[in-house]
Amino acid sequence: MSDIGTPDPRFTTPADPDLARSIGDALASIPLIPVDGHDDPVPVTITPDGVVYLTGDVIVYGDDASARLGELERDASLADSVGDWHRHVGVRDVLPLVDTLREEGHTAQPNHAFSASGCDHACDCGPHPALAAQIAEDGVLGLLTGQPMRSQPMRSQPMRSQPMRSQPFRSQSSPPMSTARPATDAEIPQRTMGAGRRPRPLVVVLDTGVADPLPPMLQPEALPGPDGADVFGWIDLPDRDDPRDGYLDPVAGHGTFIAGIVQRLAPGCPQLHLPMTTRFGLVPEWHVLQWLAWIPVLTEAAERDVIVSMSFGGPTTDGSNLLEQAVGTASAAVGDQGRTSTVLVAAAGNDGTCRPYYPAAWPTVLGVGALGAAGAPDWTNYGTWVDVCAAGVDITSTFFTWNGELPRINTVDEDDFPGWAVWSGTSFATPMVVAALARTIVLEGVDAITAAGRVARAPHLARLPGLGTIVNV
């Protein structure tokens, strides 16, 4: 990985000189978001039904709405603009002001904070797929008797298997620990694709960035020919605290883990990793807009199909005009005079709820649930808005080589990572689907939109109620 002439030296360029040349201008124009520049912990507000938004932030559409907000809230200030969208900060009461602007006919909303937040309200779309499967197998009587030896109460590993459910924004004063665990090697067999029938798509991972140096498996020379890795972008760190405290940040390594899954299953696909999260794993909606607004520029320059991977999300107050427009614009991006296209893939979340979780729930995004060896885990989100599901329980993939300050207990050191980790969540089912799309593009010679139809919507594919099409890679 070599340095790029961008404002931040922690950004690196592709190993492939042809790709670097084709997307050079696009990379020079990226909205490098200062993820380390947040006042971290970030002040957030949580509504009674579990929606999280940045305290004091209101987003409006159009100059008239922006001017009206200034009249109603004179202490607020305009912080940023993307196209016709404007973000104001310093608002005293966000939701009442949003309601007032909407009543006057303006488009306004909070700046939602994404991750994998909890949901306390009751769902009304039927039982969880894991419960439905148990009833189908054991009957209602079996469910009521509990079968204590069969239910394996420790198997769910709630603190380990739900990496983003810890709700980092709820506990920022006492940071949650990372739920990644050290592993010794990858259990996913290395796949190959060879030359293929179409150029490998560019996989854009909106996440934490990647480790530097890269794990050996992600080095270009690890596999020969076109299957060799090409992973570049924002450099992630295991400990971004200032001063460093020696403990692994809650979502550190998230992007590196995703990179390994994609390279294992769809080797040789170039991966551009872009920063989205604070060190506690919070993703402001405004940042999602900034990156997705840039995707059409990248797709036009890349001379290949683009797949956008988003392993984050959350509920919103009533949908989100901003996010709906952003994902619609990005998913419609084409390049090479219409011969290449873009597909967005997003995690459905780990809260065991059917409440729509954005951006996964938008129809222009493939929403991804998780599966384990025994079927659906009880923490995967579900519903008619979930399009596909893939393996997401106890996945092994690439990670930092790093040993933190946690003490060794007997023979176990929970933060001594040898470059591998095991993790669970819809975050990691998402790159499984990304890899399936990439393989379809390369091996079947079709564009990204056509590949999405074949992977997710072909009528002969097996489906699960509430979890959509089963994707095997």
Side-chain angles (χ1 to χ4, degrees):
M1 296 167 69
S2 56
D3 288 338
I4 187 173
T6 61
D8 198 307
R10 289 174 295 177
F11 201 89
T12 56
T13 51
D16 180 354
D18 292 334
L19 178 63
R21 197 161 36 247
S22 67
I23 66 174
D25 289 343
L27 289 178
S29 67
I30 62 173
L32 276 176
I33 298 168
V35 293
D36 290 331
H38 288 295
D39 292 329
D40 208 352
V42 178
V44 296
T45 301
I46 307 173
T47 68
D49 62 348
V51 175
V52 184
Y53 60 88
L54 269 64
T55 303
D57 277 26
V58 170
I59 299 171
V60 297
Y61 183 80
D63 293 339
D64 290 344
S66 183
R68 181 58 177 152
L69 187 152
E71 294 172 358
L72 295 171
E73 190 79 22
R74 298 194 177 276
D75 292 335
S77 59
L78 177 63
D80 200 3
S81 297
V82 175
D84 291 322
W85 292 98
H86 308 290
R87 180 172 69 94
H88 292 254
V89 298
V91 175
R92 288 168 296 180
D93 295 308
V94 168
L95 295 184
L97 179 61
V98 167
D99 289 340
T100 298
L101 289 169
R102 288 175 175 175
E103 289 169 0
E104 294 181 3
H106 300 292
T107 298
Q109 66 172 76
N111 185 9
H112 297 104
F114 294 136
S115 177
S117 55
C119 172
D120 299 324
H121 83 296
C123 295
D124 56 3
C125 51
H128 191 282
L131 177 61
Q134 184 180 347
I135 294 173
E137 182 177 354
D138 300 330
V140 175
L141 181 60
L143 180 67
L144 293 175
T145 56
Q147 303 187 34
M149 297 304 293
R150 184 169 185 176
S151 61
Q152 303 180 52
M154 297 304 292
R155 183 174 179 181
S156 61
Q157 303 181 39
M159 295 305 293
R160 290 184 171 182
S161 66
Q162 303 176 47
M164 299 296 287
R165 190 174 179 177
S166 57
Q167 303 179 41
F169 34 74
R170 288 181 184 261
S171 54
Q172 294 177 96
S173 61
S174 178
M177 302 297 291
S178 171
T179 54
R181 292 169 286 154
T184 56
D185 199 353
E187 299 173 355
I188 305 173
Q190 177 64 62
R191 306 290 297 276
T192 62
M193 291 200 296
R197 299 169 56 189
R198 187 177 177 93
R200 282 162 165 75
L202 174 60
V203 177
V204 180
V205 183
L206 302 181
D207 210 273
T208 62
V210 287
D212 186 37
L214 289 166
M217 196 193 86
L218 299 181
Q219 299 285 349
E221 63 274 10
L223 288 177
D227 286 332
D230 193 356
V231 180
F232 59 100
W234 183 265
I235 295 173
D236 188 19
L237 300 172
D239 178 9
R240 282 195 280 169
D241 294 289
D242 187 15
R244 309 295 187 219
D245 63 7
Y247 294 99
L248 188 67
D249 288 345
V251 295
H254 206 253
T256 304
F257 197 93
I258 289 169
I261 295 172
V262 174
Q263 175 60 15
R264 276 280 179 188
L265 299 175
C269 290
Q271 300 182 41
L272 168 58
H273 287 253
L274 300 173
M276 286 295 296
T277 71
T278 70
R279 61 195 173 99
F280 290 141
L282 184 145
V283 179
E285 185 177 12
W286 186 257
H287 289 184
V288 183
L289 169 67
Q290 289 176 293
W291 283 124
L292 292 183
W294 176 75
I295 291 298
V297 177
L298 179 66
T299 302
E300 185 175 3
E303 299 177 352
R304 62 182 71 209
D305 297 283
V306 172
I307 305 172
V308 181
S309 177
M310 299 179 288
S311 289
F312 59 85
T316 63
T317 48
D318 55 354
S320 165
N321 297 106
L322 177 149
L323 192 58
E324 182 179 22
Q325 185 181 98
V327 299
T329 299
S331 63
V334 296
D336 195 17
Q337 298 180 338
R339 286 186 286 268
T340 62
S341 57
T342 305
V343 169
L344 276 58
V345 188
N350 310 316
D351 298 305
T353 176
C354 65
R355 184 179 192 180
Y357 189 92
Y358 298 94
W362 290 119
T364 51
V365 178
L366 284 179
V368 185
L371 291 177
D378 60 6
W379 45 259
T380 184
N381 288 355
Y382 67 103
T384 57
W385 53 273
V386 178
D387 301 291
V388 293
C389 53
V393 178
D394 289 339
I395 304 300
T396 301
S397 188
T398 47
F399 204 70
F400 295 110
T401 299
W402 190 77
N403 190 5
E405 295 295 324
L406 288 178
R408 181 181 296 272
I409 301 176
N410 296 325
T411 60
V412 178
D413 188 339
E414 287 286 348
D415 66 350
D416 186 2
F417 291 89
W420 299 96
V422 61
W423 224 340
S424 298
T426 57
S427 286
F428 312 120
T430 298
M432 299 282 183
V433 175
V434 168
L437 292 169
R439 293 187 67 85
T440 303
I441 291 169
V442 175
L443 300 180
E444 298 184 20
V446 298
D447 72 293
I449 295 294
T450 303
R454 295 186 181 184
V455 168
R457 301 187 178 96
H460 68 279
L461 297 173
R463 291 175 171 80
L464 288 175
L467 288 173
T469 302
I470 301 172
V471 176
N472 292 309
V473 191

